[in-house]
Amino acid sequence: MKLVHLSYPVKNQISNKKIVLALGFFDGVHLGHQHLISVAKEIADEKNLPLAVMTFDRHPSEVYAGNTDFVYIDTLEEKANKMEELGVDYLLLLKFTKDFSKISGQEFVDNVIVKLGTDTVVAGFDYTYGARETANIDHLPNFAKGRFEVIKVPKQTMDGKKIGSTEIRRAIENGEMELVNELLGHHYVMSGTIGHGQRNGHKLGFPTANLVWNEKKAIPKIGVYATKTKVNGKWYNSMTSVGYNITIGQPKRIYIESNLFDFDEDVYGQPMEIKWYKYTRGEKKFASLDELKEQLKKDQDEIKAYFAKSDK
Ligand SMILES: Cc1cc2nc3c(=O)[nH]c(=O)nc-3n(C[C@H](O)[C@H](O)[C@H](O)COP(=O)(O)O)c2cc1C
Ligand SMILES: Nc1ncnc2c1ncn2[C@@H]1O[C@H](COP(=O)(O)OP(=O)(O)OP(=O)(O)O)[C@@H](O)[C@H]1O
């Protein structure tokens, strides 16, 4: 798969062939997105054309609402890896600027979709584009004027509700990891490197690997989770705390730290990935380290039992 950076207006086709173009932001590449891309892939294969997916370099709400705290389900790298697995040939990253946000639907069609050499556009039932998202998928054939075909993908739902990135972000921030994983069709993952903690974990008998993560990623709510953690290229069942570590010292910042089961190696500086399974409890302030230690033993038993059942 090729990653292509574009800015408005687009000047040239990206391939000497025409393309099938899937449109949207695609944060998380959830089950709804996966379905849409499989529809587009089928058309591309039938027509013997490359499949391109177009997204933006930042979420439009960062620009519209000036919301610089906006957090993402996927980093660009994660999104690109998922797209590649789905058989996408080109991932197009269009620069989303204030000026671009003001163009009309017709300008978007003429200066982006047509310039790319598009044969067929595939987009969802609620896809919008143009200034303040004024134009929708049903307007697209009028703007196309016969220059490309438009395929509208119907709403994909779970329990009657649209499968959507906004809902998944809400569920991550609410610690509803089982729902998150169901809607994504894969586990929510956070990756980064192993940083230094305050070195209290060893004293407690529960050493932890502290995650240094990409600050644009959505963080599960404060609390304790059943997780799997990858270090040294291998996945271990683990328990992960997202918290301020309120028992030891003054709360300053959020730490994400995993205690891996059946693992005892020095791994500072190495890559680390956390797959999130289930929220088990909130963070508590304990009167002593011994009480925290007692609780950590209980957490370990509970989470080991959870995996003994769910890994079967
Ligand atoms: C599974 C798990 C649960 C935890 N729960 C709590 C908690 O409820 N309250 C708290 O103050 N700290 C909690 N901690 C954080 C410990 O205080 C922390 O691991 C310890 O301070 C070591 O931190 P360090 O790695 O920075 O030295 C938890 C840690 C883990 C791994
Ligand atoms: N559940 C779904 N069913 C069908 N199409 C979908 C679904 N979710 C997204 N799409 C389509 O996939 C493309 C990418 O969608 P987008 O990036 O807006 O994600 P989203 O999940 O709809 O986000 P949000 O929850 O913020 O509305 C769009 O064309 C959109 O219409």
Side-chain angles (χ1 to χ4, degrees):
M1 189 186 74
K2 210 166 151 191
L3 180 67
V4 183
H5 292 264
L6 298 171
S7 49
Y8 182 83
V10 170
K11 294 190 184 66
N12 306 310
Q13 290 194 197
I14 44 159
S15 152
N16 22 4
K17 277 185 163 182
K18 290 210 149 198
I19 57 170
V20 173
L21 182 63
L23 293 175
F25 189 76
F26 299 104
D27 191 21
V29 195
H30 57 59
L31 288 178
H33 298 150
Q34 291 168 36
H35 172 71
L36 185 144
I37 291 164
S38 75
V39 168
K41 174 88 186 142
E42 224 165 88
I43 298 169
D45 287 350
E46 256 168 41
K47 296 191 167 189
N48 195 24
L49 295 177
L51 169 59
V53 172
M54 190 163 75
T55 178
F56 300 117
D57 67 330
R58 73 203 71 189
H59 196 275
S61 66
E62 280 205 36
V63 176
Y64 283 134
N67 182 2
T68 47
D69 293 339
F70 188 86
V71 289
Y72 294 79
I73 305 167
D74 279 342
T75 61
L76 174 60
E77 193 187 351
E78 288 163 345
K79 186 189 279 185
N81 287 338
K82 292 176 187 180
M83 292 297 180
E84 181 151 35
E85 270 178 34
L86 294 173
V88 172
D89 299 302
Y90 295 95
L91 181 60
L92 312 181
L93 207 64
L94 183 60
K95 206 169 153 81
F96 198 97
T97 61
K98 238 210 150 109
D99 284 344
F100 173 74
S101 74
K102 292 176 189 149
I103 68 167
S104 68
Q106 187 69 62
E107 285 171 313
F108 180 64
V109 166
D110 294 344
N111 299 329
V112 180
I113 299 182
V114 171
K115 283 283 165 54
L116 287 169
T118 303
D119 174 273
T120 307
V121 161
V122 182
F125 70 105
D126 63 350
Y127 175 70
T128 56
Y129 48 97
R132 292 268 153 199
E133 305 177 339
T134 45
N136 68 34
I137 175 93
D138 296 321
H139 302 139
L140 209 44
N142 298 336
F143 295 134
K145 303 188 177 88
R147 291 171 291 176
F148 54 86
E149 259 187 78
V150 178
I151 304 292
K152 173 165 132 182
V153 175
K155 175 153 73 170
Q156 305 299 301
T157 60
M158 191 169 287
D159 299 330
K161 256 172 82 178
K162 177 192 152 182
I163 300 167
S165 305
T166 304
E167 166 66 3
I168 295 170
R169 266 183 230 111
R170 182 206 63 74
I172 293 170
E173 287 170 354
N174 214 23
E176 297 165 32
M177 304 318 290
E178 289 158 304
L179 174 64
V180 168
N181 297 335
E182 214 179 321
L183 296 173
L184 284 175
H186 50 257
H187 288 88
Y188 185 56
V189 174
M190 289 180 78
S191 54
T193 52
I194 304 174
H196 284 276
Q198 293 154 301
R199 296 204 149 270
N200 293 307
H202 272 283
K203 275 187 255 162
L204 284 166
F206 291 93
T208 56
N210 285 57
L211 179 69
V212 181
W213 70 95
N214 181 324
E215 61 182 26
K216 296 302 268 178
K217 285 275 285 187
I219 305 177
K221 82 166 173 188
I222 300 297
V224 177
Y225 294 82
T227 54
K228 292 191 191 242
T229 301
K230 189 180 184 182
V231 293
N232 289 344
K234 197 176 154 203
W235 288 100
Y236 295 85
N237 292 348
S238 55
M239 52 183 185
T240 297
S241 158
V242 179
Y244 293 95
N245 295 358
I246 48 182
T247 302
I248 300 178
Q250 287 302 309
K252 285 197 198 86
R253 47 155 284 212
I254 294 178
Y255 292 91
I256 300 180
E257 47 181 313
S258 296
N259 170 255
L260 283 60
F261 304 151
D262 310 312
F263 179 87
D264 191 11
E265 282 174 48
D266 194 350
V267 281
Y268 286 120
Q270 311 237 4
M272 166 176 178
E273 275 178 66
I274 302 177
K275 258 194 223 170
W276 302 79
Y277 283 72
K278 191 181 184 331
Y279 171 88
T280 59
R281 69 169 174 89
E283 184 177 38
K284 293 183 209 156
K285 188 170 169 79
F286 294 93
S288 68
L289 286 186
D290 280 344
E291 281 180 37
L292 171 58
K293 200 168 162 178
E294 276 309 304
Q295 179 60 51
L296 289 171
K297 273 189 206 132
K298 283 188 202 150
D299 292 331
Q300 189 182 46
D301 289 346
E302 181 185 345
I303 292 172
K304 278 189 173 174
Y306 166 80
F307 282 121
K309 220 167 157 189
S310 70
D311 280 345
K312 255 195 220 149

